[in-house]
Amino acid sequence: MKLSNIILEENLDSSSTKVDFKFKLRKLLKAWPLFLSSIVLVLSLVYVYIYYSIPYYSVNNSIMLRDVTKGADFLENPVFEGLNEFKSSNTVDNEVDVIQSGILMREVVNELGLYNDYFYVNSLNKKNPVFYKHLPFTVEMIEVYSLGANASDEKREMRVVEFKENYVIAEINDEPIMIKPNETFDSRYAKFKILFNERTKVGELEEPILVEFKSPDELAGIFSGRLDVDTKDKNSSVLYISLLETAPERGVLVLDKLVDQYNEQLSEDKKEVARKSLEFINNQIDLTLAELNEMEQDIERFKNTQNVVDVQSDTKVYQENFIRNNREISDLENQIDIYNSVQSVVSSNSSGDISGLSSLIKDDPYLSTTMTEYQDAKSKVAEYQKSIMPDNPLMVKQMSILNAARDNIINHIATNKKQLEITLKNLRNENQQFQNKSTSAPQLERQYEAISRDVGIKKDHYLYLIQKKEETALFLASVPSNQAKVIESASFGYVPTKPYPPVLYLAGMFFGFTIPFLYVFGGSLLSDKIVVRSDLSSVSQIDVLGEISFLKSKELFVINYKNNTPVSEQFRLIRSNFNYKLDDNISKVVMVTSSVSGEGKTFFSINFAKSLSMVGKSVAVLEYDLRKKGLKDEFKFKSNKGISNYLSTSDFSLKDLLDSRNEVNGITIFQVGNIPENPSEIMHSEKNEKLIAKLKEEFDYIIIDTAPMGLVADALAIADIVDYSIFIVRYDYTSKKNLDYFSDVLKSNRLKNPMIVINGSKNSVKYAYGNYAYK
């Protein structure tokens, strides 16, 4: 690494971040009066806002709902577990909407009889809310008038200013009025009475009382808008209710009444269902009892008319005998049908199978055995028919057995069938006798059964209604008045929630600091100008020779032998850094340029040349900005001709140019001369090289003050004939866009040995050595 770079890093670059921070801190500290004024002003405005704002206090209470889905079934009594008809649970989400409903709030306001808002008004016109029960009078409202949509912005107010013995002096729309106590007063806004109370004192009020007329519906709407109901979490049945209210004592009344009204509404809803049910049950009981009495009278008339004591018992005996005989007749008929089936199969000598019929034969083992023998013989015949001839002795023998079994079955069935038919005939005759004996009984029984059946149904219905009546009455008597359990009664804090002074003052402090901060640093944050050293990051590969402090003085020369100002020391540092940068094998032709005009090229060129001359060097300064007059007027040069004349005409030779030199404060200045018509073209003239070559013979350093390369291409036209290029950057002046252009030029390697000097630094730089200090 070169020694010059080491020196630069030690003096400038190694602490650029610290310098930027210190610069911003110094800038911040310098603006402390602005910050103080801003904070005081904003806090004053906050104080005024808080002072004149009507304070709102947060009134809070909490209740637990009966919600069996969330474990809050605190009203359920185990005695009433069977009363399923009246069981219910209120879900939290639905009840939140109910509590926040305008209907419930209107009931609360009407129940409390609330009207109007009341304020004490001091001499600064600040309104302080007051609870209506704390007023030195009582307003008995009769009606608040609606002004309609056309007068919706009109304030419905009355200002009470003084009490007399027999009347009250008030103002409505700045017009004084007299209101007699206990008498109805009808104004444009409301109809009301004013009543004196124990706090009434005759005389002028220290602070007038402002009455803002509001109807109950308006207040209900206002309260509903300020009411907030929330739960701790979705699994909780506890509701947290809060109300913003100017008079917190009134808010306590509203919330307490809101819970009472909510409980009363829930209880009344349940009682209403039970009452309607009880009314319906009583009507049904009366109707059923009347019908039951009429039916019992019908039974009494029936027995008297038919001369029957117990029709049901007699009829029952006949019915039992008849049913028993019918059952036996049915069995006999079934047995005869089975005999007929067996006889039909056996007699027809068909292939039918009678083995399944044997199980149906009751109390006749002989027939069952014979049927089995018959079926076995028939099976063997069928088997022999597959293998032997019909005349085979075995076949003949088996057919004989089969025929014998058939004859036995037929004969046995004929005998038994005859006996069964006799028994069946006897049973039928006996049944006919039972039927004849009870010819009239069935009709009486049917009549009696019809009446008795209806009476039994009515008795069951009557007993059911009586049971439900007792259950409903028990439920109606047990419905609690508090459906929602109050966890915390309504209360409020004495610090307003809106506006909340601590938050507003903190916000005021924040904005009071932020506004001047943005004023001080906002420009640099939003600006595209070079503000701090770190903004040179796009050309960080280029050495920075040094910084030159901002000067308010218009004096051109700021350095001499006796001058030890910070700026002169900065030029000496730049000179030292530049000398370390020099290559002994390269001549010392230095081009000074910048991006735009006004960045201090000429100022730097003159003073840099002066600093070189102070160490015994001969230095020439060439004004190569051919588009402006240059230093002629500043130093009052006698000749009007200069470099432009030499480059553009043939009648002004190099010798003439050398003879027109100007010696100023130890340096030689070659002025620009007359402004040419074609400066860009003559910058490419071969005379430039001849001039520089001639000057190298006479001067140790040649400083070329060129036009800004960000505006015209003049500087780049002579870049080949110079040995070093110094680019001037000015704080708060040079734009980052122009610096990017310089970076692009560097990347194209069109400048030889480029370096940077920063002008216009506002950092406070201090140099010290021994007992000497420069600041």
Side-chain angles (χ1 to χ4, degrees):
M1 180 180 291
K2 295 183 180 180
L3 183 58
S4 59
N5 289 349
I6 296 175
I7 295 175
L8 290 176
E9 290 178 2
E10 290 179 351
N11 290 277
L12 299 170
D13 292 337
S14 62
S15 59
S16 60
T17 302
K18 294 181 179 179
V19 171
D20 290 346
F21 174 75
K22 291 180 180 179
F23 166 72
K24 292 178 181 179
L25 182 59
R26 283 194 295 269
K27 193 173 182 180
L28 191 68
L29 293 176
K30 287 180 180 179
W32 71 265
L34 178 63
F35 281 88
L36 181 61
S37 300
S38 175
I39 292 174
V40 170
L41 176 61
V42 173
L43 291 182
S44 299
L45 293 175
V46 170
Y47 174 80
V48 172
Y49 172 77
I50 294 175
Y51 182 78
Y52 280 100
S53 295
I54 297 176
Y56 288 86
Y57 298 85
S58 180
V59 185
N60 304 280
N61 69 347
S62 58
I63 61 175
M64 178 186 292
L65 298 180
R66 178 181 178 266
D67 187 356
V68 296
T69 62
K70 297 181 178 179
D73 196 13
F74 58 88
L75 293 177
E76 192 62 42
N77 192 325
V79 175
F80 309 128
E81 289 181 355
L83 306 183
N84 295 321
E85 295 84 355
F86 303 103
K87 283 187 176 181
S88 64
S89 62
N90 306 317
T91 61
V92 172
D93 294 337
N94 292 339
E95 297 311 304
V96 167
D97 294 335
V98 172
I99 294 175
Q100 289 182 317
S101 66
I103 296 176
L104 185 62
M105 186 58 74
R106 278 194 291 272
E107 293 178 358
V108 170
V109 174
N110 290 330
E111 188 73 18
L112 292 173
L114 298 180
Y115 287 83
N116 310 335
D117 284 330
Y118 303 92
F119 304 91
Y120 280 114
V121 182
N122 64 14
S123 58
L124 298 177
N125 206 32
K126 171 181 170 55
K127 297 194 296 185
N128 295 309
V130 58
F131 185 36
Y132 69 93
K133 291 186 178 181
H134 297 164
L135 292 171
F137 59 90
T138 302
V139 180
E140 186 178 294
M141 296 300 300
I142 300 173
E143 184 179 0
V144 176
Y145 302 131
S146 175
L147 301 181
N150 296 330
S152 59
D153 295 335
E154 185 175 348
K155 294 182 178 181
R156 295 178 296 178
E157 298 177 348
M158 177 181 71
R159 189 184 294 257
V160 179
V161 296
E162 188 175 358
F163 293 109
K164 297 294 186 180
E165 290 289 344
N166 299 319
Y167 59 89
V168 177
I169 299 177
E171 296 177 356
I172 296 181
N173 292 333
D174 297 328
E175 295 182 1
I177 57 173
M178 291 187 298
I179 303 173
K180 293 184 178 180
N182 303 320
E183 292 186 7
T184 300
F185 184 83
D186 195 356
S187 70
R188 168 177 167 78
Y189 304 129
K191 182 187 293 187
F192 58 92
K193 292 181 182 179
I194 289 183
L195 309 176
F196 288 166
N197 57 32
E198 65 277 6
R199 286 179 292 274
T200 305
K201 294 181 180 180
V202 176
E204 185 176 356
L205 293 172
E206 295 182 3
E207 292 184 349
I209 298 174
L210 181 67
V211 181
E212 292 185 355
F213 294 109
K214 287 184 174 65
S215 67
D217 287 345
E218 290 177 288
L219 284 179
I222 293 172
F223 291 151
S224 296
R226 297 176 189 163
L227 185 69
D228 183 61
V229 183
D230 199 4
T231 59
K232 185 176 182 180
D233 55 61
K234 64 180 181 179
N235 295 320
S236 174
S237 61
V238 177
L239 297 184
Y240 298 90
I241 308 174
S242 63
L243 174 68
L244 288 179
E245 173 54 29
T246 55
E249 297 88 349
R250 184 174 67 174
V252 171
L253 293 180
V254 170
L255 284 193
D256 287 342
K257 181 56 69 173
L258 180 68
V259 174
D260 293 342
Q261 201 68 26
Y262 171 73
N263 280 326
E264 182 178 343
Q265 186 183 81
L266 286 181
S267 178
E268 188 60 30
D269 289 344
K270 291 187 177 183
K271 287 182 179 180
E272 182 66 19
V273 173
R275 278 195 291 265
K276 288 185 178 297
S277 299
L278 187 60
E279 181 181 356
F280 173 78
I281 291 173
N282 286 329
N283 293 334
Q284 290 295 310
I285 288 176
D286 293 340
L287 180 61
T288 303
L289 188 59
E291 292 176 350
L292 190 59
N293 289 333
E294 185 177 352
M295 288 179 179
E296 290 176 346
Q297 291 174 4
D298 290 341
I299 292 176
E300 183 179 355
R301 284 193 296 268
F302 174 80
K303 289 185 176 181
N304 292 331
T305 302
Q306 300 297 332
N307 195 21
V308 176
V309 177
D310 192 357
V311 176
Q312 186 175 4
S313 299
D314 296 340
T315 304
K316 185 177 181 180
V317 172
Y318 294 143
Q319 286 179 347
E320 288 176 353
N321 292 332
F322 184 80
I323 290 171
R324 185 186 68 250
N325 286 346
N326 276 344
R327 189 180 301 113
E328 292 179 3
I329 290 171
S330 178
D331 290 342
L332 292 173
E333 288 176 345
N334 288 336
Q335 193 69 24
I336 292 173
D337 288 340
I338 293 170
Y339 282 157
N340 289 335
S341 297
V342 173
Q343 187 177 16
S344 174
V345 173
V346 173
S347 299
S348 63
N349 195 24
S350 64
S351 59
D353 188 0
I354 64 172
S355 60
L357 297 174
S358 61
S359 62
L360 301 177
I361 304 300
K362 296 181 178 180
D363 300 328
D364 196 348
Y366 175 77
L367 180 60
S368 298
T369 303
T370 305
M371 289 174 64
T372 302
E373 292 175 354
Y374 171 80
Q375 190 65 32
D376 292 341
K378 188 176 182 180
S379 298
K380 288 183 179 182
V381 168
E383 183 180 352
Y384 287 162
Q385 286 176 349
K386 296 178 182 179
S387 59
I388 63 177
M389 298 300 290
D391 56 353
N392 189 290
L394 292 176
M395 177 62 77
V396 173
K397 181 180 179 181
Q398 194 63 40
M399 286 298 297
S400 174
I401 295 173
L402 177 63
N403 292 329
R406 180 185 294 114
D407 293 339
N408 291 334
I409 291 174
I410 292 173
N411 293 331
H412 184 77
I413 288 176
T415 303
N416 285 357
K417 220 173 109 175
K418 189 172 182 181
Q419 294 177 356
L420 291 176
E421 287 174 351
I422 294 172
T423 304
L424 180 62
K425 182 179 179 180
N426 293 332
L427 288 174
R428 284 175 177 170
N429 293 332
E430 187 179 2
N431 238 15
Q432 184 64 40
Q433 292 176 4
F434 287 142
Q435 188 173 3
N436 292 334
K437 290 180 181 180
S438 59
T439 300
S440 61
Q443 183 178 2
L444 296 177
E445 180 65 19
R446 284 194 299 272
Q447 295 175 359
Y448 183 78
E449 280 293 333
I451 298 173
S452 299
R453 183 171 55 251
D454 293 340
V455 170
I457 293 172
K458 285 297 178 181
K459 285 182 177 179
D460 291 341
H461 188 200
Y462 177 76
L463 293 176
Y464 175 79
L465 291 174
I466 292 296
Q467 177 186 355
K468 290 303 174 184
K469 178 180 179 181
E470 293 175 353
E471 290 178 355
T472 305
L474 182 61
F475 176 81
L476 187 61
S478 65
V479 173
S481 59
N482 292 334
Q483 295 292 315
K485 182 179 180 181
V486 177
I487 297 177
E488 290 186 7
S489 300
S491 61
F492 62 91
Y494 291 93
V495 177
T497 303
K498 178 184 177 184
Y500 189 56
V503 172
L504 289 179
Y505 280 120
L506 286 176
M509 290 286 291
F510 173 77
F511 284 107
F513 180 83
T514 301
I515 292 172
F517 182 85
L518 293 177
Y519 175 79
V520 173
F521 294 105
S524 61
L525 293 175
L526 301 176
S527 174
D528 67 338
K529 305 298 183 183
I530 302 300
V531 179
V532 292
R533 184 72 170 276
S534 58
D535 291 337
L536 300 177
S537 58
S538 61
V539 291
S540 58
Q541 73 275 20
I542 305 303
D543 291 332
V544 177
L545 293 178
E547 294 187 7
I548 302 173
S549 296
F550 174 79
L551 290 176
K552 296 181 180 180
S553 174
K554 295 183 179 180
E555 184 180 354
L556 188 56
F557 281 100
V558 295
I559 182 173
N560 54 52
Y561 291 103
K562 298 181 180 181
N563 194 342
N564 292 324
T565 63
V567 176
S568 65
E569 293 301 321
Q570 290 167 351
F571 272 104
R572 290 184 176 95
L573 178 60
I574 292 172
R575 178 187 65 197
S576 299
N577 292 334
F578 178 75
N579 286 331
Y580 279 113
K581 184 73 175 177
L582 289 179
D583 189 342
D584 295 337
N585 298 320
I586 302 176
S587 58
K588 303 174 182 60
V589 180
V590 182
M591 178 178 69
V592 179
T593 185
S594 66
S595 59
V596 294
S597 179
E599 290 174 313
K601 298 183 308 300
T602 302
F603 169 76
F604 174 76
S605 299
I606 295 298
N607 285 281
F608 182 53
K610 176 60 180 176
S611 68
L612 293 172
S613 68
M614 290 171 61
V615 292
K617 303 296 182 180
S618 57
V619 185
V621 177
L622 279 61
E623 289 191 288
Y624 253 76
D625 190 351
L626 306 182
R627 301 171 187 271
K628 64 179 185 178
K629 292 182 180 180
L631 299 173
K632 180 178 181 302
D633 294 338
E634 178 72 25
F635 294 121
K636 297 181 172 51
F637 297 146
K638 295 179 180 179
S639 175
N640 292 327
K641 295 182 178 182
I643 296 174
S644 61
N645 300 93
Y646 164 70
L647 296 176
S648 60
T649 62
S650 58
D651 57 353
F652 193 74
S653 65
L654 178 57
K655 182 178 181 304
D656 295 332
L657 176 60
L658 295 175
D659 292 339
S660 67
R661 72 181 65 185
N662 299 281
E663 300 294 336
V664 179
N665 201 9
I667 60 175
T668 302
I669 301 176
F670 291 89
Q671 63 178 329
V672 65
N674 299 324
I675 298 177
E677 297 178 355
N678 55 344
S680 296
E681 283 73 17
I682 65 176
M683 289 296 289
H684 293 277
S685 173
E686 295 179 355
K687 293 182 178 181
N688 289 308
E689 296 181 7
K690 294 180 181 180
L691 173 60
I692 297 302
K694 184 64 177 175
L695 293 176
K696 285 180 180 180
E697 299 175 358
E698 184 176 350
F699 295 95
D700 296 321
Y701 293 92
I702 301 172
I703 309 299
I704 302 177
D705 181 14
T706 66
M709 67 166 55
L711 300 177
V712 293
D714 296 2
L716 296 177
I718 62 172
D720 292 338
I721 65 174
V722 303
D723 304 311
Y724 301 94
S725 301
I726 296 178
F727 188 82
I728 305 298
V729 175
R730 181 176 175 183
Y731 282 131
D732 294 323
Y733 195 88
T734 303
S735 68
K736 296 176 183 177
K737 182 178 179 180
N738 290 331
L739 193 65
D740 292 339
Y741 170 75
F742 176 58
S743 177
D744 294 338
V745 172
L746 292 176
K747 292 177 182 178
S748 63
N749 295 321
R750 300 181 65 181
L751 297 178
K752 296 179 181 179
N753 299 315
M755 292 167 277
I756 293 177
V757 171
I758 304 174
N759 189 21
S761 173
K762 294 182 180 180
N763 288 335
S764 178
V765 182
K766 181 175 180 180
Y767 302 89
Y769 179 78
N771 294 326
Y772 298 92
Y774 312 98
K775 184 177 180 181

